[in-house]
Amino acid sequence: MFIKEYFGGIFKAIKSLLTGMKLTGYYFTHLNKIVTEEYPDNRATLKMPERFRGEVIMPHDENNEHTCTGCQACELACPNGTIKIITKQEVQADGKKKKRIDAFVYHLDMCTMCNLCIDACPSDAIIMGQNFEHSQYERKYMKKVLNKPGSRLKDGVE
Amino acid sequence: MLFEPDHYNEEGEFVVNMGPQHPSTHGVLRLKVWLDGETIKKVEPHLGYIHRSIEKMTESLSYRQFIYVTSRMDYLSAHINNQVCALVVEKALQVEVPARAQAIRVILAELTRISSHLLWFASIGLDLGGVTPFFYAFREREAINSLMDENCGARLTQNFMVPGGIMKDVLPNFQQRVKEVLKQFKDNYHEYDEILTGNVIFQNRLKGVGILTKEDAIAFGCTGPTARASGLNCDIRKLYPYDGYEKLQFDEITSTGGDCWARYEVRMAEMKQSVKIIEQLIDNIPEGEIVGNTKKVIKLPKGEFYQRVETARGELGVYIVSDGGTTPYRCKYRSPNFANLSAIPHIARGHKIGDLISIMATIDLIIPDIDR
Amino acid sequence: MHTWLKNAIPNATGLLITEMVITGVILLVFLILLAFFLGYMERKVAAFMEIRLGPNRVGPKGTLQIVADTLKLLFKEGFTPDAADKFLFNLAPGIIITTALLAIAPVAFARDFQIWDINIGVLYISSVSSMAVIGILMAGWSSSNKYSLIGAMRSGAQIVSYELSIGLSLISIVILSGSLSLNDIVESQANGWWILKGHIPVVIAFVIFIIASTAEINRAPFDLVEADQELTGGFNTEYAGMKFAMFLMAEYINLFVVSAVAATIFLGGWMPFHLGNLTGFNHIMDFIPSSIWFFGKTFFIIFIIMQFRWTFPRLRIDQLLNLEWKYLLPISMVNVLLATLMAIMGWHF
């Protein structure tokens, strides 16, 4: 009885080991199953999903106009203090003074891509961009101004 | 130098620090181990190397903002962590969550559970010296992460929950993609059995090691697969159903072994149960709203609120004291890993160094969740 | 070459020294190249089994990756810890690599191509290779690191035990072929390799030899000496730069040596694939050069040992000793008896 158990155990053990080796052997001989993504080489074809949260960007149309009214809802929604909106008073064509953004300051180094600012924005002025290659040599480059120089608020957005 | 007294205690035991930087602690956990040869006499965990004061941070964040911080606690079940925060706010406000949001929440939570268990499977192989299972499990995990990426916008720290529902509706091809992921998982599941489960070396490393009795599991406050492997019925999805789990058919996996092998088997079986849950829901996602009726600025009524969920590692509770304002007065997270960690010194005593690795691997600790 | 040198250098001592130097340089260059190749092979084998691509940046298909790694290790500081026993600490890598190099001497790489035809080759190999434990113990002990010490103690227990099974499994072939000389053992397989004509005892001896020698050279699943998940690198935790590279090189040279020995003793070494008295078939097989036969068999066994490493988890120290004392040793003892019986009765082909 003991002998039977002893050798039975050995055979079971060897069988289980061979099962594992069969699997690794299978993958060794089936190189088409390799799943590696060769990242820096596939930059041209790599496409991030539409909803991917890479960074906050402010889209501008062809007339260099954006839709940010400077309402600071995003600034309030941000849990980390990533966004700082600096406003100015701008004299309109009809002579009235109105609040417009001077600089939409975005600290990429503090951002956790939580999407709360985009959710809070009432005029869809900011969206999440797909770029994810953010590394810089100095911290000062992580501070970005999202509205382009000379840009203005699109007409009709309040 | 080795033989100077500070490396020994009075009984001549060898004192070794495992961590904070050690390949098998999966993070910055420091275990002080007293050794007699290869045998462990005593283990003392030292915490706090990754303490980020998340509970204190929460006191200055609004009820919409504090959800995102919890992704950084147990980063492998980030989605479920977010869910508990959303649930506690909904409970306090007594907001009805739309059925569609509930179904999507549960599908994503179960996918998170599978992905978390897959990472655990990968790392248990790695901890015990077999590197190859790591890549097999990561192949399926990658599919789940891509799915999360497409629908939630992030692979790991999704932050897809908002109080009252979910942030965005899922993409139109969501159902088809989930089915693809599940099919890939089910097709490849047998490989895990072949490479690790059946392996005699692996079984011998786990069987009879680190036995946690049912009484000890209760005494240490263990939850999740760790306690269920000791025969304790503690699945929050069964005991205190949330988000429509009460309507779903699934088994609570328990085992009576209490050793590392039982914990291994429970987790492997749980992955299959998660698949079962998703399959019930995926074809019947109700149409409708995705966010319930919540205000832009949420103010919780004065009082104390507690909500618990079952994460991949056990019971996660969040306790909020509100003074009626926009931020919590006090917030406390009852994290599963902290309680589970406390069992390690007890069950590791008398085992070999190699066994400590298997015990830590099967209890599946996430260090940021211990320290918070 | 011997005769040519004899004419050039009439002095006998001078001749011996010149020959030794030339052989040594050739061997060293060969083994360094071999270690490079095995390093590359291991990475590729591991990668393909793990559905990865493996190194593919430096050189065509990543072939120069290991050269880049060596350069990097060369430029690193040869750090000696303050608390270490400096003499032993620096001596240990040398000892380990020397024992690895010594064991290769009696192996015949091809027909009539051997560095040292010694008539007790098998005995020599098994005694020299067991000296590696001294280097490992020295490295672990002198590092003044607790992980290193535990690793070194494990290695002592491990290598001393597995030495027995290796010896016994080699002896069963020695009994069958009736000689300790590696050349004679290869010649005795002219009408068929031992693994084919030796029936079950030789197959068992072969399996035991592969398992025990994997343990002997501290490779996974028996790499408790290093056990990076438990001991953060084991006996070589404190080593850096070229000293660490020497450990790595010694590992690959040892891997080659045990595979070469297994190929020589069980699979016929450089002997082509012969089947009994089928002269026509045997003649065709003789056309393939003997060195290709030798390296083909050796790399087959190297591949198997590599596959072990990338498939199995690691054993625990007590299981490791259980495996040796409860399974391998009793089985090899019975196996030697069987082999003796076979040799006496002439049951093998």
Side-chain angles (χ1 to χ4, degrees):
Chain A
M1 202 59 218
F2 167 74
I3 299 278
K4 199 180 156 194
E5 262 175 40
Y6 182 83
F7 285 104
I10 292 175
F11 278 117
K12 252 193 213 159
I14 289 176
K15 200 180 152 215
S16 78
L17 297 181
L18 288 180
T19 322
M21 283 177 72
K22 199 180 133 203
L23 184 67
T24 44
Y26 173 80
Y27 280 115
F28 185 75
T29 48
H30 289 70
L31 298 186
N32 55 336
K33 302 248 179 195
I34 285 176
V35 290
T36 309
E37 216 172 287
E38 290 178 89
Y39 158 56
D41 293 342
N42 69 358
R43 268 211 190 105
T45 53
L46 184 71
K47 199 177 168 302
M48 299 311 288
E50 201 184 317
R51 287 187 181 178
F52 178 74
R53 300 174 191 161
E55 59 180 339
V56 177
I57 51 172
M58 184 182 283
H60 289 62
D61 65 4
E62 61 275 13
N63 302 328
N64 206 11
E65 288 175 337
H66 56 75
T67 57
C68 179
T69 56
C71 69
Q72 296 180 326
C74 48
E75 196 177 331
L76 282 170
C78 182
N80 313 308
T82 306
I83 297 168
K84 191 89 196 150
I85 294 175
I86 300 164
T87 51
K88 60 180 176 190
Q89 296 295 325
E90 219 173 64
V91 184
Q92 297 295 300
D94 53 357
K96 278 184 191 161
K97 274 187 175 178
K98 278 213 169 150
K99 194 172 82 172
R100 291 289 179 262
I101 57 165
D102 188 24
F104 189 103
V105 185
Y106 170 53
H107 297 270
L108 181 56
D109 48 346
M110 286 199 278
C111 184
T112 57
M113 322 295 170
C114 67
N115 210 31
L116 287 177
C117 50
I118 281 85
D119 228 29
C121 184
S123 56
D124 292 334
I126 44 176
I127 56 167
M128 277 286 177
Q130 268 83 47
N131 178 27
F132 57 92
E133 291 163 330
H134 296 312
S135 36
Q136 299 283 2
Y137 281 105
E138 278 182 52
R139 197 170 175 170
K140 62 182 179 197
Y141 299 121
M142 304 300 268
K143 184 178 156 187
K144 297 182 177 181
V145 177
L146 293 187
N147 54 329
K148 289 181 188 162
S151 64
R152 51 186 293 275
L153 180 66
K154 196 184 261 179
D155 290 334
V157 181
E158 278 307 316
Chain B
M1 181 85 175
L2 260 182
F3 306 103
E4 282 170 12
D6 57 331
H7 294 279
Y8 286 93
N9 64 3
E10 298 79 47
E11 284 89 44
E13 287 161 355
F14 213 37
V15 188
V16 175
N17 273 313
M18 274 192 157
Q21 274 84 37
H22 190 275
S24 70
T25 51
H26 297 209
V28 282
L29 174 68
R30 175 177 162 214
L31 291 176
K32 210 171 171 185
V33 186
W34 279 262
L35 292 174
D36 178 14
E38 285 263 342
T39 313
I40 294 165
K41 289 279 165 193
K42 191 177 149 193
V43 181
E44 201 179 281
H46 288 243
L47 310 177
Y49 288 90
I50 193 164
H51 180 67
R52 292 154 300 171
S53 72
I54 284 180
E55 286 175 9
K56 188 72 187 165
M57 265 168 83
T58 308
E59 289 173 20
S60 58
L61 294 176
S62 81
Y63 291 111
R64 279 190 189 278
Q65 290 172 344
F66 88 118
I67 291 176
Y68 100 97
V69 195
T70 53
S71 306
R72 273 82 184 166
M73 280 163 36
D74 183 352
Y75 47 83
L76 291 181
S77 32
H79 200 85
I80 313 179
N81 289 5
N82 295 344
Q83 196 179 6
V84 71
C85 298
L87 281 167
V88 73
V89 176
E90 287 150 15
K91 194 177 186 179
L93 294 175
Q94 293 172 340
V95 175
E96 190 84 10
V97 182
R100 183 175 175 80
Q102 277 191 346
I104 291 168
R105 273 182 181 187
V106 170
I107 290 171
L108 290 175
E110 293 305 321
L111 279 174
T112 309
R113 196 183 311 278
I114 295 176
S115 122
S116 169
H117 281 343
L118 278 175
L119 190 129
W120 157 83
F121 173 84
S123 63
I124 193 173
L126 197 62
D127 282 349
L128 299 186
V131 186
T132 307
F134 187 86
F135 292 92
Y136 295 168
F138 259 59
R139 174 186 44 186
E140 273 73 69
R141 197 178 121 79
E142 177 64 31
I144 297 178
N145 278 351
S146 304
L147 178 79
M148 293 289 188
D149 203 1
E150 286 163 22
N151 283 291
C152 312
R155 296 162 60 84
L156 210 58
T157 51
Q158 291 99 350
N159 193 28
F160 199 53
M161 303 280 181
V162 290
I166 50 176
M167 200 176 260
K168 281 178 186 167
D169 203 350
V170 286
L171 294 174
N173 66 350
F174 178 70
Q175 291 177 336
Q176 182 212 340
R177 288 280 291 124
V178 170
K179 279 176 193 163
E180 276 170 24
V181 167
L182 288 190
K183 186 171 181 303
Q184 188 191 347
F185 174 74
K186 282 193 284 188
D187 286 350
N188 288 330
Y189 188 85
H190 70 98
E191 287 179 2
Y192 308 150
D193 288 343
E194 281 167 23
I195 191 122
L196 220 48
T197 316
N199 193 303
V200 65
I201 302 173
F202 183 72
Q203 290 187 0
N204 283 335
R205 281 296 297 273
L206 297 188
K207 277 182 181 165
V209 171
I211 294 174
L212 179 72
T213 60
K214 192 175 178 180
E215 289 71 32
D216 284 340
I218 295 169
F220 286 115
C222 296
T223 46
T226 308
R228 285 201 283 282
S230 308
L232 191 64
N233 284 334
C234 59
D235 197 330
I236 307 297
R237 293 174 294 174
K238 284 273 183 202
L239 297 177
Y240 305 96
Y242 53 91
D243 268 348
Y245 271 110
E246 66 275 4
K247 288 175 250 165
L248 298 166
Q249 303 293 317
F250 65 100
D251 299 329
E252 180 179 359
I253 310 289
T254 53
S255 170
T256 48
D259 57 351
C260 289
W261 180 245
R263 292 193 276 276
Y264 176 83
E265 283 191 318
V266 166
R267 281 207 171 81
M268 293 303 275
E270 269 192 12
M271 284 198 264
K272 283 185 169 168
Q273 290 302 320
S274 294
V275 172
K276 201 175 154 191
I277 294 175
I278 298 170
E279 279 175 344
Q280 287 171 43
L281 277 172
I282 190 65
D283 285 323
N284 324 310
I285 303 178
E287 294 296 322
E289 289 286 305
I290 51 160
V291 188
N293 187 20
T294 47
K295 286 184 187 139
K296 198 91 189 165
V297 178
I298 297 173
K299 280 186 183 172
L300 253 56
K302 210 170 173 175
E304 298 174 6
F305 308 99
Y306 186 73
Q307 174 65 40
R308 44 183 143 197
V309 290
E310 179 79 17
T311 72
R313 278 160 199 79
E315 174 190 334
L316 173 71
V318 56
Y319 173 67
I320 284 184
V321 182
S322 167
D323 56 359
T326 52
T327 58
Y329 176 75
R330 172 81 172 94
C331 184
K332 159 89 183 129
Y333 297 103
R334 182 251 182 251
S335 72
N337 288 309
F338 184 75
N340 290 352
L341 170 73
S342 63
I344 286 186
H346 178 71
I347 59 178
R349 203 172 295 139
H351 285 300
K352 303 273 185 291
I353 304 175
D355 292 332
L356 180 63
I357 309 299
S358 0
I359 290 170
M360 292 212 318
T362 47
I363 284 189
D364 193 14
L365 296 171
I366 296 292
I367 314 303
D369 195 32
I370 297 171
D371 288 344
R372 295 190 298 288
Chain C
M1 196 173 83
H2 183 75
T3 40
W4 177 75
L5 276 172
K6 213 173 197 171
N7 295 334
I9 307 165
N11 185 344
T13 328
L15 180 71
L16 187 69
I17 292 173
T18 324
E19 276 192 340
M20 274 163 68
V21 168
I22 290 174
T23 326
V25 169
I26 292 175
L27 192 67
L28 266 179
V29 170
F30 168 71
L31 285 177
I32 288 174
L33 289 177
L34 186 86
F36 277 12
F37 178 73
L38 285 180
Y40 176 69
M41 178 180 165
E42 171 132 82
R43 286 167 187 217
K44 277 293 187 191
V45 166
F48 290 156
M49 284 180 179
E50 293 168 349
I51 46 176
R52 294 187 285 125
L53 280 171
N56 61 351
R57 294 263 166 244
V58 192
K61 298 245 169 205
T63 34
L64 296 179
Q65 180 68 48
I66 202 94
V67 179
D69 287 351
T70 315
L71 277 176
K72 172 217 159 200
L73 285 170
L74 267 173
F75 286 119
K76 281 188 94 169
E77 185 190 356
F79 182 72
T80 308
D82 211 20
D85 186 330
K86 296 200 176 49
F87 176 66
L88 291 181
F89 184 82
N90 292 318
L91 185 66
I95 296 231
I96 288 182
I97 207 152
T98 312
T99 50
L101 289 175
L102 277 176
I104 215 162
V107 176
F109 290 96
R111 194 189 297 270
D112 303 327
F113 188 87
Q114 199 174 10
I115 294 160
W116 187 28
D117 185 10
I118 180 176
N119 59 356
I120 49 163
V122 175
L123 191 64
Y124 172 82
I125 286 178
S126 66
S127 50
V128 164
S129 62
S130 65
M131 267 163 59
V133 69
I134 299 176
I136 292 178
L137 271 176
M138 205 182 262
W141 190 274
S142 63
S143 307
S144 177
N145 178 310
K146 293 176 204 171
Y147 291 125
S148 306
L149 185 62
I150 297 173
M153 290 296 128
R154 282 178 173 189
S155 118
Q158 179 179 337
I159 295 185
V160 167
S161 345
Y162 277 82
E163 199 59 41
L164 292 167
S165 314
I166 291 198
L168 283 174
S169 54
L170 289 178
I171 280 175
S172 54
I173 295 298
V174 171
I175 290 168
L176 286 170
S177 63
S179 171
L180 277 169
S181 158
L182 287 179
N183 247 347
D184 289 352
I185 290 178
V186 173
E187 289 296 342
S188 73
Q189 303 180 68
N191 58 344
W193 304 341
W194 275 120
I195 193 145
L196 296 174
K197 65 175 182 172
H199 296 305
I200 294 165
V202 178
V203 177
I204 295 176
F206 178 66
V207 172
I208 288 177
F209 182 82
I210 294 286
I211 295 175
S213 53
T214 313
E216 173 95 359
I217 57 175
N218 298 322
R219 280 180 67 87
F222 305 102
D223 60 342
L224 286 113
V225 179
E226 293 178 35
D228 26 337
Q229 286 86 4
E230 295 162 28
L231 303 177
T232 64
F235 71 100
N236 56 25
T237 307
E238 294 288 345
Y239 284 88
M242 221 38 220
K243 282 181 240 167
F244 176 72
M246 278 165 93
F247 282 120
L248 213 61
M249 216 155 80
E251 183 186 334
Y252 285 120
I253 295 173
N254 272 327
L255 175 64
F256 177 75
V257 170
V258 294
S259 310
V261 170
T264 307
I265 289 187
F266 296 97
L267 303 180
W270 50 262
M271 188 60 76
F273 183 65
H274 286 175
L275 268 180
N277 299 318
L278 298 169
T279 33
F281 178 75
N282 292 354
H283 199 63
I284 295 168
M285 284 294 166
D286 283 342
F287 278 116
I288 302 172
S290 56
S291 57
I292 289 186
W293 279 107
F294 173 77
F295 282 105
K297 293 165 190 175
T298 309
F299 276 97
F300 171 70
I301 292 172
I302 289 176
F303 175 78
I304 293 207
I305 295 181
M306 281 183 179
Q307 196 179 3
F308 284 165
R309 172 162 182 182
W310 300 109
T311 309
F312 303 140
R314 183 183 303 116
L315 277 79
R316 205 170 59 210
I317 181 75
D318 54 330
Q319 289 163 355
L320 180 92
L321 298 179
N322 268 352
L323 175 69
E324 164 65 17
W325 295 102
K326 281 191 183 166
Y327 293 92
L328 295 188
L329 190 62
I331 291 174
S332 26
M333 279 174 164
V334 174
N335 198 38
V336 168
L337 271 179
L338 277 176
T340 320
L341 198 65
M342 261 178 50
I344 293 169
M345 307 298 280
W347 280 343
H348 60 85
F349 300 114

